[in-house]
Amino acid sequence: MVLNYKELMEKIKEVIVFQSAKAVLEWDAQTMMPPRATHMRSRQLALLSKIEHKMLTSHEIGELIEEILRNPEFESLSLEQKRNVYLSKKAFGEQSSLPEKLVAQTEKQKIIANKAWEKAKKAKKFSIFKSELEKLFKLRKEAAEILMKVKGVDTSYDALIDVFEPKMTAKAIANFFSQLKMGLIKILRKCESSSIKPERSFLKRRIPVETQRKISKELARFIGYDVESKDAGGRIDESEHPFTKGYYNDVRITIRYDENNWIRCVFSLLHEGGHGIYDQNLRAEWIYQPIGSPCSYGFHESQSRFLENIVGRSREFWKYFLPKLNKITNNAFSDVDLDSFVLGINRVRPSKIRVDADEVTYCLHIIIRFEIEKGLFKDEISVSELPAVWSQKYEEYLGLEIKHDSEGVLQDVHWSLGLFGYFPSYALGNIYSGQILNAIEKEMPGWKVDIANGDFRRVKKWLTRKIYHYGNLYDPQDLIERVTGEKINVEPFLNYLNKKYSNLYLP
Amino acid sequence: MVLNYKELMEKIKEVIVFQSAKAVLEWDAQTMMPPRATHMRSRQLALLSKIEHKMLTSHEIGELIEEILRNPEFESLSLEQKRNVYLSKKAFGEQSSLPEKLVAQTEKQKIIANKAWEKAKKAKKFSIFKSELEKLFKLRKEAAEILMKVKGVDTSYDALIDVFEPKMTAKAIANFFSQLKMGLIKILRKCESSSIKPERSFLKRRIPVETQRKISKELARFIGYDVESKDAGGRIDESEHPFTKGYYNDVRITIRYDENNWIRCVFSLLHEGGHGIYDQNLRAEWIYQPIGSPCSYGFHESQSRFLENIVGRSREFWKYFLPKLNKITNNAFSDVDLDSFVLGINRVRPSKIRVDADEVTYCLHIIIRFEIEKGLFKDEISVSELPAVWSQKYEEYLGLEIKHDSEGVLQDVHWSLGLFGYFPSYALGNIYSGQILNAIEKEMPGWKVDIANGDFRRVKKWLTRKIYHYGNLYDPQDLIERVTGEKINVEPFLNYLNKKYSNLYLP
């Protein structure tokens, strides 16, 4: 029995080692690869995906799982061992259910659709993207329908949501989102009707890329994301779209530096750094085991958004960091006082681009995407209707008129990569982050004093002990309850926003 | 029949795509990887090696080759197709003969031995390296003895030489090397007895790393190694030891910049760039086919050493590049006239470190290593005797007293990576480069005027047409004959050196 378990873990370890190797090639494609190598790289990644699929769906793994589950000694396994078996079974069952041909076709179509999306976005024309997206959507829907049966969930969309946020459903999300929407719009109206008008011209100041790199390094030091020492386990690089790829001792975040939008580098670094320290601080003994991975995409996002927003847009953080910033930039902001600075970076105003949205309106962008995805998978919306539906919803929820597809339906890369069901994670991350904040406030009332002193260590230790070290031992809804003592709910996040923005916008 | 051939090529293509992906991880390990990831990376590479071995030795490949060779229509295949079958059969036969366990053990021992070597080199103590090298040597010898039978060669050492230089034997090499030795020592004596004493203090001038990076880029432009354009297929990075990894549209060279040894960056760039343009300019239609690879390690080295030495240490090149260098370095060398400069960089003097050797003594370093390897594989020398034998040969051939192991037997990384049989390639590369020079002189008498004008294009075109485009269609000894009309022989290389150094050292 124990022997079977060990054997299964050896097989799974190989898959995980393989996946971690593949991740380096994906990172390289966005950061280092010579442009001419694009075609070669897509071949390499398609092949590696195929091999990964084969490894994960091997008969040996299937049989080992069967034997372990049939064995009466199964009950004597530890919680961690049982979870490893459960996660292996889940991954094996799902992957095996997908025909190899479908997997290969999807991999290929992702590359084609992503290229078409890039072209369409540049040309501001959805029509260039449409037919490739239709094909990709069809393939994803086919997979979703298979996975729906395997997972035993109600809808094909639920099957995809479960990929990113296990056990979550569109119905539950719709419920959270409707509460969220009401709460957010109330806060938004309050801000809009306030006589306070944040001054933001200092965000327009030109800061050279070289200086921004120094800002990034200073921020990395603050969160303890080591890229400099002889034992460093991280990197900061540059890419078109910021992202994080990593596993334990090899974690890589990327930033895009824009001389004319320096603040973006700050929030990007904190956001990706939040992802990075999660990946770096998983429990060392669990490396190469299924439980040695982050809990879910929503949980991952809770960490990045906690760092970016709850910490990074707080008055306490800037009390510490504004003098640092002035030192690095040669006093580029010495004329801006702390309160004006904090108000400026926290201005609330509906905007068309999700990644530039403020904390209050951000989730509205997500809700729009969620409703559209739901409609797509229910066949209530067709791919060709996307631009029209998009515009109508932005008008309705944010009061904005979308002028062309690139500031509308083409703004996000996700669908071009087949990532349907991913968007809700961002809003779930915000919801979790509110609950986590509550727990921290209760258990470490003085934590904000630490931040004002530039000391993130105590908070990081808490997050490590309470979240990172649990890896994938629990499903997200169980983990949030264990961490905070409460079921997932939107109240803490709304309360946080309400309190923060009432203060900021109090005339 | 044609169907079988196509099927075989599809299988082989997968192996080659896989190998090209693995190469990126190897490059990353030396350039980008966070230091903490070392252990994880060695696991990844060991796994990829295992998968590669499995792919290459699959039953399907074996059967396809058998069927193709049995088929009477085999004769109707083109030269290229037949060579592809031949190369596939060779690789399959060799890899299949090696037990999986031996391959895995060797991969692991390489990593351990390389670590021990690093430690030993730092501590200047061969004893730290000894037992790990012994284990690795044993494993390589075991493989060599198996390969000896499969390849039908006379000795185990020949089997390893054939890995790097197909159809070459230790006997033939010994013959070339004894002629080479005599010729080189004659030239060395002439230089030593000359009254001319090259002035080299300008090589000691401190050039900042940032400036050296500019020098590298300028040199890359000269050889047409594109790292800057939107369609670039190359990169220049930094690593402890310079190297080149690449395949067609993704070629990466590395340099190590030393503020106190600026000239090294020039010769490194030209050397690695010579490798780089070979890999980049293989025949496009042959990508992912066995023939779409370089001819041999010796041929590869002929290109790097042609660029580094025959071009890069020539008066003509510096006529063009010295003014450029002065421009980039803000006239750091404006007080050095062309002749003194060229004489300075071409000083001949026995030295202990191979990579810093001049053109005349370089091959003596190789001859020493070749003789030692031959002795090892004949069991005439044991691993524990290496330091003593090394010292004795350096005394005998170069008149130098080795003071500690790091300037002696520990200087090269090769053995710690199991690369026995590799060293001769360097000297064979020199030999080929002399013959290639002869052919260029005959077919393009004005080529040196081009170089003096900073124009490398015509030479590059010639090399592409005559060498790069032939990929691996011929074994190296056939290719050199096709390129130059002559069988491999040391005369042209010795003549080149004789003429060059007689001129330089003529009082």
Side-chain angles (χ1 to χ4, degrees), chain A residues 38 82 93 110 123 142 147 153 156 182 237 244 268 273 286 312 337 374 390 499 502:
Chain A
T38 308
K82 278 183 193 154
K110 274 185 202 175
E142 193 182 332
L147 291 173
V153 293
S156 58
M182 273 198 309
D237 295 281
T244 303
S268 276
W286 291 356
D337 68 84
K374 213 167 54 161
W390 189 281
K499 199 171 143 197
S502 296

Side-chain angles (χ1 to χ4, degrees), chain B residues 157 177 181 351-352 361-375 381 386 389-400 402 411 415 423:
Chain B
Y157 188 40
F177 282 7
K181 194 164 84 179
S351 61
K352 293 172 185 173
T361 57
Y362 185 89
C363 285
L364 298 174
H365 293 261
I366 298 303
I367 293 171
I368 291 173
R369 285 154 180 78
F370 165 71
E371 292 179 356
I372 292 177
E373 286 188 344
K374 213 168 53 163
I381 301 173
L386 284 177
V389 178
W390 190 280
S391 297
Q392 177 243 314
K393 286 198 182 277
Y394 266 76
E395 172 71 53
E396 186 187 331
Y397 289 34
L398 288 155
L400 295 169
I402 301 299
Q411 69 179 266
W415 292 340
F423 281 121

Side-chain angles (χ1 to χ4, degrees), chain B residues 61-313:
Chain B
I61 288 184
E63 278 163 23
L64 284 167
I65 293 170
E66 282 304 308
E67 281 168 28
I68 292 167
L69 291 175
R70 262 202 314 267
N71 194 311
E73 283 177 55
F74 174 75
E75 281 311 317
S76 71
L77 289 185
S78 70
L79 173 68
E80 289 82 1
Q81 290 172 323
K82 278 183 193 154
R83 178 74 177 175
N84 274 332
V85 176
Y86 167 80
L87 291 171
S88 305
K89 182 172 184 272
K90 191 175 182 216
F92 173 81
E94 290 173 14
Q95 284 296 309
S96 314
S97 70
L98 299 175
E100 208 172 295
K101 203 180 149 192
L102 177 62
V103 173
Q105 275 180 329
T106 308
E107 284 304 313
K108 260 193 207 155
Q109 187 57 25
K110 274 184 201 175
I111 291 159
I112 296 167
N114 184 251
K115 282 253 165 74
W117 169 77
E118 277 177 4
K119 226 173 128 189
K121 193 174 176 184
K122 230 173 250 166
K124 305 182 181 176
K125 273 187 188 160
F126 180 74
S127 58
I128 296 172
F129 181 39
K130 202 197 82 172
S131 68
E132 300 307 341
L133 180 60
E134 273 169 348
K135 283 180 214 159
L136 185 56
F137 173 70
K138 214 174 143 240
L139 291 164
R140 288 309 290 151
K141 188 144 190 232
E142 193 181 332
E145 273 159 10
I146 296 169
L147 291 173
M148 177 179 83
K149 285 169 206 151
V150 181
K151 289 170 187 262
V153 294
D154 291 341
T155 68
S156 57
Y157 188 40
D158 281 349
L160 295 187
I161 290 172
D162 181 86
V163 170
F164 304 106
E165 206 62 15
K167 304 268 171 73
M168 187 54 75
T169 63
K171 206 172 153 185
I173 291 173
N175 185 27
F176 299 135
F177 282 7
S178 87
Q179 295 169 48
L180 208 52
K181 194 164 84 179
M182 273 197 308
L184 293 175
I185 287 179
K186 230 188 258 171
I187 300 168
L188 174 61
R189 296 292 168 255
K190 232 194 259 180
C191 296
E192 283 176 332
S193 64
S194 163
S195 61
I196 300 249
K197 300 293 166 213
E199 159 61 34
R200 284 172 50 102
S201 62
F202 67 91
L203 295 175
K204 296 250 159 79
R205 292 180 192 168
R206 238 181 108 268
I207 303 293
V209 168
E210 211 29 74
T211 312
Q212 292 191 40
R213 286 201 188 100
K214 284 184 197 149
I215 298 172
S216 290
K217 280 206 172 168
E218 194 59 46
L219 290 164
R221 257 172 244 132
F222 167 74
I223 60 174
Y225 179 76
D226 179 13
V227 296
E228 295 172 308
S229 85
K230 277 198 170 179
D231 190 39
R235 290 185 57 87
I236 303 172
D237 295 279
E238 289 160 43
S239 70
E240 188 62 28
H241 305 282
F243 68 90
T244 304
K245 280 256 170 211
Y247 188 64
Y248 282 89
N249 300 319
D250 188 353
V251 173
R252 306 176 184 205
I253 68 177
T254 70
I255 305 288
R256 187 181 154 206
Y257 296 108
D258 179 349
E259 277 195 348
N260 300 311
N261 191 352
W262 68 271
I263 194 77
R264 196 185 263 178
C265 110
V266 173
F267 295 130
S268 275
L269 191 291
L270 291 172
H271 182 100
E272 302 305 331
H275 285 305
I277 58 174
Y278 192 169
D279 292 326
Q280 278 184 335
N281 293 287
L282 293 163
R283 196 183 291 257
E285 309 94 81
W286 291 356
I287 189 169
Y288 309 128
Q289 295 180 40
I291 53 173
S293 61
C295 173
S296 71
Y297 285 79
F299 248 94
H300 232 305
E301 213 55 39
S302 78
Q303 295 311 297
S304 54
R305 298 194 67 82
F306 181 80
L307 252 298
E308 177 190 350
N309 293 331
I310 297 180
V311 173
R313 292 183 204 259

Side-chain angles (χ1 to χ4, degrees), chain A residues 165-182:
Chain A
E165 205 63 14
K167 305 269 172 73
M168 187 54 74
T169 63
K171 206 171 153 187
I173 291 173
N175 185 28
F176 300 134
F177 282 9
S178 87
Q179 295 169 46
L180 207 52
K181 194 163 84 178
M182 273 198 309

Side-chain angles (χ1 to χ4, degrees), chain A residues 255-437:
Chain A
I255 306 287
R256 188 181 154 208
Y257 296 108
D258 179 350
E259 276 195 347
N260 300 310
N261 191 353
W262 67 271
I263 194 76
R264 197 185 263 178
C265 109
V266 173
F267 296 129
S268 276
L269 192 291
L270 291 173
H271 182 100
E272 302 305 332
H275 285 306
I277 57 173
Y278 191 169
D279 292 326
Q280 279 185 335
N281 292 288
L282 292 163
R283 196 184 290 256
E285 308 95 80
W286 291 356
I287 189 168
Y288 308 127
Q289 294 179 41
I291 52 173
S293 62
C295 172
S296 72
Y297 285 78
F299 248 95
H300 232 305
E301 213 55 40
S302 78
Q303 295 312 297
S304 55
R305 298 193 68 81
F306 181 81
L307 253 298
E308 177 190 351
N309 294 330
I310 296 181
V311 174
R313 291 183 205 260
S314 71
R315 194 176 190 281
E316 290 77 9
F317 173 73
W318 287 100
K319 195 174 164 200
Y320 154 68
F321 203 72
L322 191 52
K324 287 254 173 208
L325 181 68
N326 272 316
K327 206 171 161 193
I328 298 168
T329 58
N330 221 342
N331 285 318
F333 305 97
S334 57
D335 58 327
V336 189
D337 68 84
L338 179 60
D339 286 317
S340 310
F341 190 97
V342 172
L343 185 63
I345 60 168
N346 280 298
R347 185 187 62 178
V348 175
R349 178 189 280 185
S351 62
K352 293 172 184 173
I353 304 297
R354 175 181 61 87
V355 294
D356 291 332
D358 57 77
E359 279 182 283
V360 176
T361 57
Y362 185 89
C363 284
L364 298 173
H365 293 262
I366 298 303
I367 293 171
I368 291 173
R369 285 154 179 78
F370 165 71
E371 290 179 358
I372 292 176
E373 286 188 343
K374 213 167 54 161
L376 276 170
F377 279 86
K378 273 193 185 165
D379 288 326
E380 292 169 358
I381 301 172
S382 72
V383 167
S384 59
E385 288 167 333
L386 284 177
V389 177
W390 189 281
S391 296
Q392 177 243 314
K393 286 197 183 276
Y394 266 76
E395 171 71 52
E396 187 187 330
Y397 289 34
L398 289 155
L400 295 168
E401 186 196 344
I402 301 299
K403 299 234 169 72
H404 57 77
D405 294 336
S406 292
E407 59 171 37
V409 67
L410 291 175
Q411 68 180 266
D412 296 306
V413 70
H414 303 62
W415 291 341
S416 81
L417 296 170
L419 293 169
F420 300 98
Y422 188 108
F423 280 122
S425 310
Y426 291 117
L428 292 169
N430 280 336
I431 295 172
Y432 295 142
S433 76
Q435 295 184 257
I436 291 164
L437 169 65

Side-chain angles (χ1 to χ4, degrees), chain A residues 14 20 32 44 50 235, chain B residues 14 20 32 44 50 235:
Chain A
E14 282 209 342
S20 71
M32 299 293 160
Q44 292 165 340
K50 193 176 122 182
R235 290 185 58 87
Chain B
E14 283 209 341
S20 72
M32 299 293 160
Q44 292 165 339
K50 193 177 122 181
R235 290 185 57 87

